Amino acid sequence: VMGAPPSRTNPDGQPWNYPVLDPAQFDGAARALLVARIDKAFDEYDSIRIDHPHGLVCPWVYPAHTGDPARAVRDGARLYESPDLDDHPSLARFAIATPEQLDRTLPRYHDHWVRMLTVEQVARYSILFDAIAESASRHGRALADLSCEVLSTMPVPLTRVLDRHGLGRWSVLQKANLDVYRMENAAHPDWVMLGNHDTAPIFALARGWDAATRDKWTRHLTTRLSLGAVEQQHLAADSAHLPTAMLAELFASDAENVSIFFADLFGYHERFNVPGTISDANWSLR
């Protein structure tokens, strides 16, 4: 089954217990299932957000029914990057990456566990994404109408597949303490945003910042937006101005796509979802 691997933002990983599409059926039933879902979505919507596209390219898997899913997911491996792991011998038959292409000095969940891939290997990793691209074309959509929710981690195989299709990642400005979220690092095909369904609304977040955090953002935005002394004073004096300046920074980046979550657009303070928790309040804000 598939889960989220350990990462710098989530060291324990998450045991999702999601079933995995059978690679042996990528030319048959598994591909047909995916295409049917994508075709239906494009029939009904203008664009599609692909939630964690890692699962279509390089899923992190772990054994089901171990009795300890939290430990199982921490000790898991990537389905196509495990050609010779002693603790996951059954994955060897699915491997695309070869033993020589792995960096054994890094943990197996690291973005650069796979050091390099050939063009032919990237094509194998891209089988399901190719099917999505073909569906988009049939429905008269551009590939830019796909938004790929790639957050803090982006393994080499996923990078290569997205590059193959000219697609980008998500950059969440409120998390700019990680370099991947800094607007100056955003590339043309990326999607940039203040926050998303899993983060605190930007107005609630800014209201809770202490003086040091507000000062840090004020200095950063003053530089990024070339603000004058008066505007800088406004930011320093009232945290309510900071979200507007942060929104402006999204449009000052190189990214083609700006996404504004409804809670940020309408000034909500209520949280839409708290990841990693089970609550009736999650996903219920309307």
Side-chain angles (χ1 to χ4, degrees):
V1 292
M2 181 172 63
S7 68
R8 52 186 167 176
T9 54
N10 185 11
D12 293 330
Q14 292 181 359
W16 292 339
N17 196 40
Y18 289 170
V20 181
L21 289 174
D22 180 2
Q25 300 187 57
F26 280 1
D27 290 331
R31 187 180 188 280
L33 172 64
L34 176 68
V35 169
R37 292 173 65 89
I38 297 297
D39 281 347
K40 183 177 188 298
F42 274 132
D43 282 339
E44 299 175 4
Y45 299 99
D46 295 324
S47 63
I48 297 176
R49 174 177 69 87
I50 300 178
D51 191 42
H52 298 290
H54 310 63
L56 298 174
V57 176
C58 50
W60 180 264
V61 297
Y62 61 98
H65 313 303
T66 63
D68 189 355
R71 177 169 183 172
V73 76
R74 285 196 302 272
D75 296 337
R78 293 202 186 276
L79 185 60
Y80 308 124
E81 293 96 81
S82 307
D84 58 358
L85 298 182
D86 292 339
D87 55 339
H88 293 287
S90 63
L91 299 184
R93 63 193 175 106
F94 301 116
I96 297 176
T98 64
E100 297 75 21
Q101 293 172 318
L102 306 181
D103 186 345
R104 312 280 180 162
T105 67
L106 300 173
R108 62 183 68 155
Y109 56 79
H110 195 280
D111 282 1
H112 296 286
W113 166 253
V114 176
R115 295 183 293 109
M116 58 174 293
L117 293 168
T118 66
V119 173
E120 292 75 19
Q121 287 172 309
V122 174
R124 291 177 62 191
Y125 273 108
S126 190
I127 287 175
L128 298 181
F129 252 85
D130 290 352
I132 294 173
E134 291 165 8
S135 174
S137 178
R138 284 196 305 275
H139 289 82
R141 304 296 200 279
L143 280 178
D145 292 323
L146 295 174
S147 173
C148 296
E149 189 192 356
V150 181
L151 294 168
S152 62
T153 62
M154 191 168 176
V156 166
L158 180 59
T159 299
R160 292 291 302 277
V161 169
L162 295 184
D163 286 347
R164 173 184 171 95
H165 292 287
L167 296 170
R169 59 172 301 136
W170 281 18
S171 294
V172 184
L173 181 56
Q174 66 169 266
K175 295 183 176 183
N177 56 310
L178 289 181
D179 286 345
V180 294
Y181 294 134
R182 295 181 67 89
M183 289 302 105
E184 55 265 46
N185 294 331
H188 181 74
D190 290 344
W191 290 71
V192 295
M193 58 202 70
L194 297 172
N196 59 31
H197 55 283
D198 284 339
T199 62
I202 194 64
F203 286 97
L205 189 70
R207 186 176 63 180
W209 280 336
D210 58 25
T213 303
R214 289 200 304 272
D215 179 66
K216 179 180 177 181
W217 274 104
T218 296
R219 287 186 283 109
H220 168 77
L221 293 166
T222 296
T223 300
R224 284 285 292 159
L225 301 176
S226 300
L227 299 180
V230 174
E231 290 90 348
Q232 184 177 2
Q233 290 172 2
H234 281 311
L235 291 181
D238 187 351
S239 62
H241 291 295
L242 285 171
T244 301
M246 293 173 72
L247 179 64
E249 189 184 4
L250 301 183
F251 289 95
S253 75
D254 289 338
E256 180 181 26
N257 310 290
V258 174
S259 175
I260 306 176
F261 190 59
F262 80 93
D264 293 333
L265 179 65
F266 293 120
Y268 276 76
H269 285 77
E270 296 88 349
R271 189 76 180 258
F272 185 71
N273 181 56
V274 181
T277 66
I278 298 174
S279 168
D280 290 340
N282 284 344
W283 305 96
S284 65
L285 184 64
R286 292 290 184 269

